[in-house]
């Protein structure tokens, strides 16, 4: 159980401005972890050295969670007398140490009781660890901060039959048998690292092995450890790993450093995966796949997460963070790197569209709510609450803007410089930006505001065509709304890629013939001239979404249709369609859901369906309306019922008007090729299944879905048929499909999660059906994947149902959060996010959301994870 705090307790935040270097360094640490059925004993010996640069007190302060049972403490081989150490809260303070010392502590812990899944815990039949951000203090007493880098040795012992495989970071240096059926394995990691990168695994695991030869000719052994039953689900992760290793060498000149790289799949895990040095630990959902149990989306997610964790070996491990305020140094940069990798492996424009949709859906909402914070936060109560879309995805956009401003060549010089100069160190975002400045000779002072100021900048754009001269004047003004603690903002440095589109496509912007230009907006308002042109062009602005901003441009429907058809920038063609859909939803909101969708949009929709030159993946994106949450950001106070109805009315009319084209394209996309997660096939299935869903919802497509469900030879098609049936206006077939799916997959937890999720996101699901899922024998509140499949899916991906006028959706969420507070505070704190946006909603939603938030706040003892989120969003 998490040590609890009363809801009224004022929580003292940790502040960036209070950062001080540590009083002691740890040069080496020797860990002995003895795993027993009933408990675990950890003996840690730290080689300590006083930090002469530190102005800290003379005492050594170690972190150690309250549940650690201290069995013994020695200094330089002698028992430490009780007057030289003191335990208080989460710390152990030791006085009277000289310049260096060898400190040994022995503690006892109970991994089986650890449901927080932080520190050392049990997942099914195995033991594993999660130390980032502050999990290591739940394993032993230690300076649990990322700027203390040490060389780790770890000796694990356990029952040999139950735990034949014992793993830790680095290289295996010794192993052998012990008495009473036990054995040990000893690991040594030659690279100094902060304790958040420590990992340990013990279990009865099977392994898939492969190898990779690095650019300099070293052979690296690659191993994926899983439960025996999952051996047939590792190929894709292994392929992705090798592709990532090759890509990082080629694109960033980064080679892997150890002789062994291991991945372990764990079923109970708070997030996707963790980049522990040489021993990445993965959520089963982010590593295991084969065509029968995993969808295309899962295959792509695995490719990107395997790459992300691998890329951390340089951006995060070799060069790490000085403190947790620098989290985006490793996360923003690494997300940027994994996005580049995925774009290279798949359809680049589609990847960009997906990333921008995610940013707009989740990050813009975060930036506009009570939990808004800069990419580099200034303070936190619970660091786990700052693994956010702002730190990750907006952080990646910021690195992407540096890449755009510097260009590929200077950017690569800067990253080379950064990796080489800071190798083996714990550094700050400032060092990263300085490396960019030094390599490019550019002044990025104003650019740093992207790290310091929260909120999404808004750009107002106007253009004027001067017929007499043929010139176009473009005026752009920026402003950024206030965010908590930041009432006013200074202007950002914003890269804006622009083109001008004429009747037959892109026009030359000036005499030099270039058709695209990078504008740098640095003032509050700026003007640029383009031309001369012989015809009035339509500006194509912010191509490729060159900055994470909201753009306001007064395009007419005709101009948007023109951009949607002729812009050379694939992203902006999609963007123009999105704007057209928004106009249609806006009209339905203003004039009532029955008002007819404009004829040109209907015609364009049908044209897209029949365009033989358009690739399927892009077509699927172009035929999809902005999601509810994106529309929610647009019309406030939010009336979910009205927005959902308006969106559905537009969808229904578009499909009804082109039903025959939808149907014939669906037929044309049938394929008998054997399944492969290739980007061509993924695109075709995406389009086919988008159309199937339309047919089921609006054009009596159930028989098609039933047939697809029965004939599918892969999970993508099977699940798409199931969710389409669940969305059908009247589907008697949905029930049968659900039970057949359950019978088929009840013994495959990952496939079963899809079954839970399909029901939780069904447009017609009622709260009592959700309650039944929570009671289902295969559901468990202690397994985060199950919680995400049911509860997070409902509250974050079924907005039409979650936001019920009677507030019953909110109440259900609050009840689950209160239970989870005592089981797994990290997961509880993530689930509360949908309620925190209450102030943006119309009545009666607003009051109901707020009341449920208050109910959580008053439920008794809140873990600090949840307390921080609730207090911030209630304005406390
Ligand atoms: N670094 C981990 C996230 C740790 C989250 C701790 N609450 C995974 C990743 O971003 O690669
Ligand atoms: Zn990461």
């Amino acid at each position: 159980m998490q040590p609890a705090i009363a809801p009224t307790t004022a929580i003292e935040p940790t502040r960036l401005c209070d950062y001080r270097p540590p009083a002691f360094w740890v040069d080496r640490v020797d860990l002995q972890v003895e795993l027993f059925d009933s408990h675990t004993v950890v003996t840690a010996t730290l080689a300590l050295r006083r930090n002469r640069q530190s102005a800290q007190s003379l005492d050594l302060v170690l972190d150690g969670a309250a549940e650690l049972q201290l069995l013994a403490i020695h200094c330089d081989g002698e028992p430490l007398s009780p007057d030289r150490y003191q335990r208080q809260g989460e710390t152990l303070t030791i006085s009277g140490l000289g310049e260096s010392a060898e400190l040994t502590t022995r503690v006892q812990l109970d991994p089986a009781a650890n449901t927080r899944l932080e520190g050392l815990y049990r997942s099914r039949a195995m033991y594993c660890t999660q130390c980032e951000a502050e999990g290591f203090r739940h394993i032993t007493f230690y300076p649990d901060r990322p700027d203390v880098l040490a060389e780790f040795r770890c000796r694990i012992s356990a029952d040999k039959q139950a735990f034949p495989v014992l793993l830790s970071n680095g290289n295996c240096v010794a192993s052998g048998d012990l008495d009473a059926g036990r054995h040990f394995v000893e690991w040594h990691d030659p690279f100094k690292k902060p304790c958040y990168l420590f990992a340990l695994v013990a279990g009865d695991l099977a392994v898939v092995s492969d190898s990779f030869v690095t650019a300099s000719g070293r052979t690296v052994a690659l191993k994926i450890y899983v439960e025996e039953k999952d051996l047939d689900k590792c190929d894709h992760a292994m392929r992705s790993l090798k592709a990532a290793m090759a890509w990082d060498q080629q694109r960033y000149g980064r080679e892997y450093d150890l002789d062994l790289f291991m991945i372990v799949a764990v079923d109970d895990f708070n997030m996707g995966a963790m980049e522990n040095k040489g021993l990445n630990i993965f959520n089963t959902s982010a590593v295991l796949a084969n065509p029968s149990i995993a969808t295309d989306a899962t295959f792509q997610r695995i490719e990107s997460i395997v790459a992300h964790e691998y890329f951390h070996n340089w951006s995060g491990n070799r060069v790490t963070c000085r403190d947790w305020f620098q989290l985006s140094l490793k996360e923003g940069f690494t997300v940027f790197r994994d996005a580049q990798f995925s774009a290279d492996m798949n359809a680049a424009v589609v990847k960009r569209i997906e990333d921008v949709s995610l940013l707009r859906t989740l990050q813009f909402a975060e930036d506009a709510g009570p939990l808004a914070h800069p990419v580099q936060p200034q303070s936190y109560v619970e660091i786990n609450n700052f693994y956010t879309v702002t730190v990750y995805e907006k952080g990646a956009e910021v690195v992407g803007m540096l890449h755009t401003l510097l260009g590929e060549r200077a950017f690569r010089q800067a990253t080379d410089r950064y990796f080489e100069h800071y190798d083996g160190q714990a550094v700050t975002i400032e060092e990263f930006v300085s490396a960019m400045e030094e390599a490019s000779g550019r002044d990025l002072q104003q650019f740093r505001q992207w790290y310091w100021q929260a909120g999404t900048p808004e750009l107002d754009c106007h253009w004027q065509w001067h017929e007499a001269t043929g010139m176009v004047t473009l005026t752009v003004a920026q402003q950024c709304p206030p965010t908590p603690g930041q009432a006013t903002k200074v202007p950002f440095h914003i890269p804006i890629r622009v083109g001008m589109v004429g009747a037959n496509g892109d026009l030359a912007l000036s005499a030099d013939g270039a058709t695209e230009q990078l504008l740098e907006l640095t003032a509050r308002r700026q003007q640029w001239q383009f031309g001369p042109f012989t015809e009035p062009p339509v500006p194509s602005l912010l191509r490729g979404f060159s900055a994470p901003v909201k753009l306001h441009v007064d395009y007419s429907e005709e101009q948007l249709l023109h951009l949607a058809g002729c812009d050379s920038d694939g992203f902006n063609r999609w963007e123009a369609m999105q704007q057209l859909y928004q106009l249609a939803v806006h009209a339905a909101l203003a004039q009532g859901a029955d008002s007819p969708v404009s004829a040109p949009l209907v015609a364009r929709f049908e044209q897209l369906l029949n365009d033989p030159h358009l690739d399927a993946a892009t077509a699927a994106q172009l035929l999809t309306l902005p999601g509810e949450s994106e529309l929610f950001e647009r019309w406030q106070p939010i009336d979910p019922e009205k927005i959902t109805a308006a969106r559905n009315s537009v969808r229904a009319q578009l499909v009804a008007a082109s039903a025959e084209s939808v149907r014939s394209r669906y037929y044309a996309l049938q394929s008998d090729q054997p399944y492969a997660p290739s980007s061509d096939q993924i695109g075709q299935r995406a389009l086919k299944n988008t159309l199937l869903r339309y047919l089921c919802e609006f054009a009596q497509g159930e028989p098609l879905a039933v047939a697809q469900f029965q004939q599918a030879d892969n999970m993508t098609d099977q699940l798409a048929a199931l969710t389409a049936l669940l969305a059908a206006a009247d589907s008697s077939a949905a029930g049968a499909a659900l039970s057949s799916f359950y019978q088929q997959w009840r013994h495959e937890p990952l496939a079963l999660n899809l079954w839970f999720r399909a029901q939780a996101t069904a447009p017609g699901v009622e709260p009592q059906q959700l309650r039944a899922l929570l009671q289902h024998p295969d559901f468990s509140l202690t397994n985060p994947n199950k919680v995400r499949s049911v509860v997070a899916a409902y509250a974050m991906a079924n907005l039409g149902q979650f936001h019920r006028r009677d507030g019953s959706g909110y109440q259900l969420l609050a009840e689950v959060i209160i239970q989870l507070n005592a089981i797994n505070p990290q997961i509880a704190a993530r689930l509360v996010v949908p309620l925190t946006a209450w102030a943006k909603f119309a009545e009666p939603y607003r009051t109901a959301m707020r009341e449920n938030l208050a109910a959580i706040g008053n439920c008794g003892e809140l873990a600090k994870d949840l307390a921080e989120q609730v207090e911030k969003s209630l304005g406390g």
Side-chain angles (χ1 to χ4, degrees):
M1 293 263 291
Q2 175 80 359
I5 55 141
T8 46
T9 312
I11 322 171
E12 205 35 58
T14 304
R15 292 191 171 82
L16 171 56
C17 61
D18 292 336
Y19 172 83
R20 298 289 177 276
F24 285 85
W25 301 114
V26 181
D27 289 324
R28 288 174 311 283
V29 44
D30 265 288
L31 287 175
Q32 281 194 42
V33 181
E34 298 164 272
L35 302 165
F36 300 99
D37 278 348
S38 56
H39 66 283
T40 292
V41 175
V42 178
T43 309
T45 300
L46 317 184
L48 297 158
R49 175 169 49 90
R50 193 174 285 282
N51 177 7
R52 294 172 172 233
Q53 264 87 55
S54 168
Q56 295 271 63
S57 78
L58 295 173
D59 294 346
L60 168 70
V61 183
L62 300 177
D63 303 292
E67 79 268 10
L68 293 183
Q69 234 188 88
L70 183 58
L71 304 178
I73 179 163
H74 287 72
C75 190
D76 296 322
E78 299 292 324
L80 195 65
S81 84
D83 59 339
R84 290 209 25 220
Y85 66 92
Q86 200 192 1
R87 264 188 100 169
Q88 208 171 24
E90 290 227 321
T91 59
L92 171 68
T93 305
I94 296 160
S95 59
L97 294 177
E99 286 302 293
S100 63
E102 190 183 86
L103 183 80
T104 302
T105 60
R106 183 189 298 267
V107 298
Q108 181 171 322
L109 35 136
D110 182 5
N114 180 355
T115 56
R116 286 185 323 264
L117 313 186
E118 190 187 22
L120 176 65
Y121 63 92
R122 271 194 90 128
S123 173
R124 293 161 67 95
M126 64 198 272
Y127 287 95
C128 64
T129 53
Q130 171 54 37
C131 293
E132 188 178 0
E134 297 179 334
F136 198 66
R137 65 187 61 188
H138 293 271
I139 297 176
T140 189
F141 288 101
Y142 199 80
D144 189 359
R145 42 188 290 167
D147 58 352
V148 172
L149 307 180
E151 187 184 327
F152 278 68
R153 271 175 195 279
C154 179
R155 185 185 194 268
I156 312 162
S157 61
D159 182 84
K160 189 170 182 174
Q161 206 182 350
F163 305 100
V165 175
L166 304 175
L167 308 173
S168 189
N169 319 83
N171 306 310
C172 176
V173 290
S175 61
D177 288 341
L178 301 166
D179 291 347
R182 293 173 64 83
H183 72 141
F184 78 93
V185 179
E186 193 176 320
W187 293 82
H188 171 238
D189 182 357
F191 291 93
K192 286 187 148 214
K193 65 171 177 288
C195 63
Y196 83 84
L197 291 172
F198 168 79
L200 172 160
V201 169
D204 185 0
L205 299 170
V207 63
V208 173
S209 302
D210 205 327
S211 65
F212 179 84
V213 180
T214 68
S216 67
R218 276 186 314 107
T219 301
V220 179
L222 309 177
K223 298 195 178 285
I224 302 183
Y225 289 91
V226 295
E227 287 182 30
E228 177 90 33
K229 68 179 175 55
D230 294 323
L231 276 173
D232 61 341
K233 305 182 187 92
C234 301
D235 291 358
H236 182 65
M238 188 64 93
R239 248 195 327 269
S240 304
L241 174 61
K242 289 194 282 184
M245 294 177 87
W247 186 91
D248 211 18
Q249 292 184 157
Q250 193 252 321
R251 192 70 185 259
Y252 281 88
R254 297 295 116 201
E255 195 172 309
Y256 186 63
D257 46 13
L258 288 161
D259 296 333
L260 172 63
F261 186 86
M262 298 174 278
I263 286 178
V264 181
V266 175
D267 208 40
D268 301 282
F269 207 64
N270 280 345
M271 62 266 170
M274 176 64 210
E275 70 264 25
N276 316 299
K277 183 76 186 189
L279 178 55
N280 287 2
I281 298 185
F282 271 64
N283 189 323
T284 46
S285 76
V287 62
L288 301 180
N290 66 34
S292 337
I293 62 141
T295 64
D296 290 338
T298 302
F299 275 93
Q300 290 190 313
R301 176 164 177 264
I302 289 172
E303 181 181 74
S304 98
I305 299 185
V306 167
H308 178 100
E309 305 311 333
Y310 173 74
F311 295 156
H312 269 315
N313 190 56
W314 275 97
S315 48
N317 302 4
R318 288 287 287 259
V319 182
T320 196
C321 301
R322 188 193 72 174
D323 54 72
W324 293 120
F325 298 102
Q326 321 300 331
L327 183 57
S328 197
L329 174 72
K330 73 177 179 80
E331 295 305 347
F333 186 23
T334 305
V335 172
F336 173 72
R337 277 151 53 68
D338 84 55
Q340 284 184 308
F341 168 75
S342 296
D344 284 354
M345 298 292 131
N346 302 286
V349 173
V350 173
K351 168 69 180 159
R352 187 66 187 139
I353 291 171
E354 288 165 358
D355 287 351
V356 172
S357 300
L358 180 89
L359 192 80
R360 282 183 176 155
T361 304
L362 300 175
Q363 200 280 324
F364 283 14
E366 181 163 273
D367 243 350
L371 304 179
H373 54 274
V375 173
Q376 177 168 57
Q378 291 295 304
S379 74
Y380 59 76
V381 169
E382 171 52 63
I383 185 55
N384 284 320
N385 287 337
F386 285 79
Y387 286 74
T388 59
V389 275
T390 298
V391 167
Y392 275 65
E393 274 72 26
K394 186 176 181 180
E397 291 296 319
V398 173
V399 176
M401 287 189 285
L402 287 169
H403 181 261
T404 302
L405 288 168
L406 268 62
E408 172 63 23
R409 216 180 116 85
F411 182 82
R412 170 65 195 272
Q413 282 167 352
T415 58
D416 282 354
R417 192 185 185 100
Y418 169 77
F419 287 130
E420 274 144 37
H421 200 79
Y422 299 113
D423 189 8
Q425 298 184 39
V427 302
T428 64
I429 286 171
E430 177 52 33
E431 263 111 20
F432 182 77
V433 180
S434 304
M436 295 280 153
E437 281 182 321
E438 284 154 22
S440 65
R442 293 202 52 150
D443 176 356
L444 297 169
Q445 195 48 38
Q446 186 184 359
F447 186 86
R448 287 173 171 79
Q449 295 297 341
W450 282 108
Y451 287 104
W452 301 336
Q453 295 189 127
T456 308
E458 303 199 17
L459 305 190
D460 275 310
C461 307
H462 297 277
W463 82 94
Q464 211 180 357
W465 150 254
H466 308 280
E467 208 173 344
T469 57
M471 299 298 286
V472 165
T473 309
L474 176 70
T475 310
V476 185
Q478 62 164 306
Q479 55 99 15
C480 181
T483 47
Q486 294 182 334
T488 57
K489 310 286 165 97
V490 300
F492 289 87
H493 180 171
I494 304 176
I496 308 175
R497 283 175 53 206
V498 301
M500 294 284 164
V501 183
N504 299 311
D506 278 18
L507 303 172
L509 297 181
S510 58
D512 70 4
T515 55
E516 191 170 288
Q517 200 175 318
L518 183 68
L519 310 180
E520 297 189 23
L521 176 66
T522 51
R524 289 202 189 278
R525 187 170 172 282
Q526 250 165 279
Q527 273 193 342
W528 292 270
Q529 305 282 336
F530 304 91
F533 305 110
T534 52
E535 54 175 321
V538 183
S540 163
L541 304 170
L542 204 71
R543 283 182 163 178
F545 202 67
S546 59
V549 299
K550 290 185 187 167
L551 203 58
H552 304 295
V553 200
D554 262 333
Y555 288 122
S556 65
E557 187 182 50
E558 199 189 341
Q559 287 163 336
L560 288 172
L561 284 161
H562 185 60
L563 289 176
C566 298
D567 197 325
S568 68
D569 186 71
F571 178 85
N572 267 9
R573 283 199 300 277
W574 171 80
E575 178 66 11
M577 272 314 285
Q578 296 291 296
Q579 297 300 321
L580 285 163
Y581 291 133
Q582 293 226 7
L583 287 181
V585 173
H586 181 73
L589 277 172
Q591 292 147 35
D594 301 335
S595 70
V597 173
S598 83
L601 181 57
V602 171
R604 178 76 195 151
F605 191 84
E606 180 142 29
Q607 201 188 338
L608 287 170
L609 284 164
N610 296 315
D611 184 345
H613 305 298
L614 191 60
D615 73 279
T618 309
Q621 298 288 350
L622 291 172
L623 291 166
T624 302
L625 273 68
E628 272 105 347
S629 34
E630 238 183 283
L631 300 173
F632 283 9
E633 280 307 298
R634 175 89 195 257
W635 290 291
Q636 296 178 6
I638 304 163
D639 187 326
E641 207 171 59
K642 281 208 182 106
I643 295 180
T644 307
R647 180 175 184 270
N648 278 334
S649 147
V650 174
R651 295 170 72 235
Q653 292 185 54
L654 290 170
V655 174
S658 50
E660 275 326 299
S661 299
V662 178
R663 202 174 291 268
S664 53
R665 189 75 196 264
Y666 173 77
Y667 284 126
L669 284 159
Q670 303 302 313
S671 151
D672 48 20
Q673 275 186 308
Y675 177 95
S678 66
S679 63
D680 275 357
Q681 279 198 21
I682 290 176
Q684 291 185 3
R685 280 187 291 270
L687 179 57
K688 179 180 72 181
N689 291 323
T690 301
L691 302 179
L692 181 65
R693 170 91 185 227
Y694 276 145
L695 290 168
C696 270
E697 276 187 89
F698 308 117
Q700 287 88 45
E702 291 94 323
L704 295 176
V706 171
Q708 177 169 321
F709 182 83
Q710 286 165 352
Q711 287 153 21
D713 67 350
N714 65 79
M715 180 54 89
T716 308
D717 286 339
Q718 189 184 12
L719 183 71
L722 177 68
T723 54
L725 285 172
L726 284 163
D730 154 48
S731 184
S732 35
L738 272 176
S739 48
S740 126
F741 191 103
Y742 178 75
Q743 287 311 324
Q744 187 179 358
W745 297 121
R746 53 184 305 188
H747 300 302
E748 283 286 358
L750 295 172
L752 204 56
N753 292 348
L754 300 172
W755 178 82
F756 276 116
R757 189 182 164 87
Q759 295 173 81
T761 53
V765 71
E766 301 277 334
Q768 69 267 24
Q769 292 171 288
L770 257 296
R771 288 210 155 75
L773 290 179
L774 295 173
Q775 297 305 320
H776 194 282
D778 292 308
F779 181 83
S780 160
L781 269 186
T782 58
N783 178 261
N785 289 349
K786 290 279 179 296
V787 174
R788 280 187 279 259
S789 302
V790 176
V791 191
Y794 178 63
M796 295 174 192
N798 194 356
L799 301 186
Q801 282 303 322
F802 173 62
H803 293 283
R804 300 168 71 90
R805 286 189 81 82
D806 64 2
S808 52
Y810 308 145
Q811 199 187 332
L812 179 96
L813 180 64
E815 283 168 21
V816 175
I817 290 173
I818 290 169
Q819 290 178 61
L820 275 170
N821 174 52
I823 298 171
N824 186 331
Q826 263 185 59
I827 299 294
R830 290 203 165 240
L831 280 179
V832 83
V833 170
L835 291 174
T836 62
W838 61 272
K840 292 192 237 171
F841 282 77
E843 294 295 1
Y845 307 95
R846 182 187 166 94
T847 300
M849 289 169 89
R850 197 176 193 286
E851 279 173 2
N852 279 286
L853 206 50
I856 297 170
N858 293 328
C859 78
E861 300 177 325
L862 283 200
K864 69 175 179 173
D865 312 56
L866 197 51
E868 179 175 33
Q869 307 287 74
V870 171
E871 278 185 24
K872 282 184 176 163
S873 48
L874 285 175

